[in-house]
Amino acid sequence: MPSRLFAPGADDHRMEIHESLDSTNILAKQRAIDGVEDGYVIVADTQTNGRGRRGRSWHSPAGVNLYLSMVLDTKKVSAGLVSLMGAVAVMDTIKQLCPNPDLVQIKWPNDVLMGRKKVAGVLGEYLSEKQDWCVLGIGVNVNSKAEDLPDSPRWPATSIALFLGKQLNRNILLSRLVCRLRDLKHTLETDHEKILEQVRQNSATIGRTVLLSVQNTEPQKYKAIGIDENGLLLLQGQEKIITVTAGDVDIIQDNR
Ligand code: BT5
């Protein structure tokens, strides 16, 4: 029988745990509008309509993984860096468990990979109803078995348990991840370059050939050469360097 999720003692008043939600991001947005504090967290054991970017879905089976959203006051931070901050928090939390931490990397802009397979995804959504607030949604495959992983994902998927060959305590992971997110939110406000450095140093994208598909055009090959000070990806074009945002491109990495 899988263990139940619970809020760590000190977090009782700023974390809600639900057995099932359509999407933690949807409830977190509502709570943000209701006026909860910065850093408030919504967790669900399963989601019936877990969301990815651009209308894609997030596979969210019950009893095995983590699905959470943090409400963030982003007045003092650069919008493009919030999702990257979430990816760094997940990466740091997973690296702590891993005998080969170098195998945990960030695939720009919002995926965390273990051994080049996707173990987590991050979805930052701004609120039209409340300027300067956003919800940062995070899904981590913790104890999924191979049969719990999504069918034909866009990128090969794994779980921490499959990668490490042992099951993990989801409550310990939840508490570490939430702590790390709150710490990094502070870093984002005071020294965001540190977060960018982490993203660059642990990038699964920089140095690779990527196929860039912009809506309704044939995908083109580019070399990813860096991430700029706003968190945007830099690609070497034939004549000049181009900058891409997560919203207007789809990056499909080649294996070269
Ligand atoms: C993401 O989107 O990777 C962001 C996922 C964010 C999920 C969290 S869960 C808590 C919070 N509440 C929500 O409703 N969402 C957030 P994207 O880059 O668009 O990737 C989505 C694609 O990843 C899908 O089209 C599938 O191919 C693949 N995928 C779906 N579920 C997956 C899973 N559990 N593990 C690995 N890949 C998955």
Side-chain angles (χ1 to χ4, degrees):
M1 181 70 187
S3 65
R4 288 175 62 91
L5 288 167
F6 54 84
D11 248 326
D12 278 350
H13 65 292
R14 46 180 190 167
M15 188 185 290
E16 285 175 40
I17 310 244
H18 295 262
E19 229 159 75
S20 175
L21 288 175
D22 46 359
S23 153
T24 55
N25 268 26
I26 293 177
L27 184 59
K29 278 187 183 178
Q30 187 52 54
R31 292 291 185 263
I33 294 165
D34 296 343
V36 295
E37 64 183 293
D38 181 46
Y40 192 88
V41 178
I42 303 284
V43 184
D45 188 52
T46 182
Q47 300 182 114
T48 52
N49 190 20
R51 307 200 302 205
R53 294 179 300 147
R54 303 200 205 160
R56 295 193 281 256
S57 63
W58 188 253
H59 186 64
S60 310
V64 282
N65 296 330
L66 289 178
Y67 317 109
L68 64 124
S69 300
M70 185 174 272
V71 175
L72 294 170
D73 173 352
T74 52
K75 269 182 220 73
K76 293 189 224 146
V77 305
S78 161
L81 302 184
V82 177
S83 294
L84 289 175
M85 182 273 277
V88 172
V90 175
M91 175 185 77
D92 287 350
T93 307
I94 299 179
K95 273 183 188 285
Q96 275 197 337
L97 305 164
C98 200
N100 280 317
D102 289 353
L103 297 180
V104 189
Q105 290 185 303
I106 294 173
K107 174 174 162 277
W108 187 90
N110 68 326
D111 296 345
V112 179
L113 309 182
M114 276 185 105
R116 304 205 67 80
K117 293 184 176 173
K118 179 161 171 169
V119 71
V122 177
L123 174 67
E125 294 185 294
Y126 272 82
L127 272 77
S128 49
E129 302 85 347
K130 194 167 180 178
Q131 224 192 341
D132 291 330
W133 284 73
C134 90
V135 301
L136 184 63
I138 296 180
V140 187
N141 297 331
V142 180
N143 287 324
S144 286
K145 301 194 177 81
E147 60 268 26
D148 298 324
L149 293 172
D151 286 335
S152 23
R154 297 170 70 242
W155 190 266
T158 192
S159 69
I160 307 176
L162 279 171
F163 190 83
L164 295 180
K166 62 174 182 199
Q167 297 276 299
L168 289 113
N169 180 321
R170 285 187 300 158
N171 284 303
I172 294 177
L173 265 188
L174 173 64
S175 144
R176 285 185 187 163
L177 175 56
V178 167
C179 239
R180 193 72 194 124
L181 281 166
R182 292 195 182 124
D183 281 355
L184 286 179
K185 166 70 188 332
H186 180 67
T187 309
L188 198 55
E189 289 172 343
T190 53
D191 187 6
H192 70 262
E193 192 49 41
K194 258 193 195 155
I195 291 178
L196 281 169
E197 260 327 293
Q198 282 285 83
V199 176
R200 293 181 186 120
Q201 276 169 18
N202 294 279
S203 174
T205 308
I206 297 173
R208 320 252 330 162
T209 302
V210 302
L211 284 178
L212 174 63
S213 76
V214 180
Q215 280 175 352
N216 303 328
T217 59
E218 270 296 296
Q220 304 280 326
K221 269 189 187 180
Y222 293 92
K223 174 104 172 215
I225 55 167
I227 290 168
D228 77 5
E229 67 280 6
N230 297 311
L232 306 182
L233 187 66
L234 301 171
L235 299 179
Q236 182 65 62
Q238 279 189 340
E239 279 151 25
K240 57 179 177 142
I241 293 172
I242 60 168
T243 309
V244 293
T245 64
D248 57 21
V249 297
D250 218 3
I251 299 280
I252 308 150
Q253 273 171 269
D254 263 351
N255 281 328
R256 277 161 286 143

